[in-house]
Amino acid sequence: MTSAAGPATGPAATRRREHEWTDPMALAAAASGLDGLEYLRRIVDGRLPGAPVASLVGFRAVSAEHGRVAFAFEPGEHQYNPIGSVHGGVYATLLDSACGCAVHSTLPAAGYTSLDLSVRFLRRITVETGTVTCTGHVVQAGRRTALARAELTDAEGRLLGEATSSCLILPEG
């Protein structure tokens, strides 16, 4: 609520948001015996829940192919920084997730972990931006490491941010 004098302060300005998630260890156990692509496809189609961080930040997996994934993100004011736009950590979380999941989609029942993440912020995101898509794809995959790139775009295809990430491929077991 705002007035001619500026933003409301005090109790009237308070917002509340609740968060629920499923047991992340049960989700990890559900991956047993599945290659990365099948695991991600089960998350996309709702047979498995998304990761707790996805519901916390406010994004969901919408597609998974070999070497490529996409997430949809709805910006909300609960994700804002003090200057009235989505916090850079939210950009980084989305981009890191897309890079990592793109790599995961190429793996057998092995795991991975991010070695680094380089993020570039190109445009601000606000509630008015509308739905944002974050797409990640594998640039180069080896036996021990993989390089992935991800882009955040708005509904008109404008680039909002991008990142590259190196991932370490972990052996099974």
Side-chain angles (χ1 to χ4, degrees), residues 25-36 39 42 48 104 108-109:
M25 299 317 292
L27 180 59
S32 179
L34 298 177
D35 65 38
Y39 180 63
R42 288 183 185 195
L48 289 174
H104 194 187

Side-chain angles (χ1 to χ4, degrees), residues 95-97 99-101 103 111-117 146 164-170:
L95 292 162
D96 180 58
S97 296
C99 285
C101 287
V103 169
Y112 69 94
T113 189
S114 298
L115 290 170
D116 61 35
L117 181 70
T164 54
S165 177
S166 300
C167 293
L168 176 65
I169 299 169
L170 305 171

Side-chain angles (χ1 to χ4, degrees), residues 79-110:
Q79 300 148 334
Y80 277 21
N81 57 30
I83 58 172
S85 59
V86 170
H87 189 279
V90 174
Y91 284 67
T93 299
L94 285 158
L95 292 162
D96 180 58
S97 296
C99 285
C101 287
V103 169
H104 194 187
S105 73
T106 68
L107 300 177

Side-chain angles (χ1 to χ4, degrees), residues 118-136:
S118 179
V119 177
R120 283 148 307 278
F121 307 98
L122 303 172
R123 292 178 185 257
R124 62 187 259 138
I125 299 174
T126 66
V127 171
E128 289 77 29
T129 303
T131 302
V132 171
T133 301
C134 187
T135 305

Side-chain angles (χ1 to χ4, degrees), residues 5-85:
T9 58
T14 300
R15 311 280 199 277
R16 181 177 182 92
R17 182 172 184 257
E18 292 187 21
H19 178 241
E20 293 181 356
W21 65 94
T22 57
D23 178 358
M25 299 317 292
L27 180 59
S32 179
L34 298 177
D35 65 38
L37 183 56
E38 180 59 26
Y39 180 63
L40 292 167
R41 284 182 171 162
R42 288 183 185 195
I43 292 171
V44 167
D45 69 20
R47 289 182 285 160
L48 289 174
V53 70
S55 62
L56 177 66
V57 173
F59 66 95
R60 67 188 187 288
V62 294
S63 69
E65 303 168 22
H66 183 84
R68 186 176 199 83
V69 299
F71 296 108
F73 167 65
E74 300 298 331
E77 66 178 17
H78 63 283
Q79 300 148 334
Y80 277 21
N81 57 30
I83 58 172
S85 59

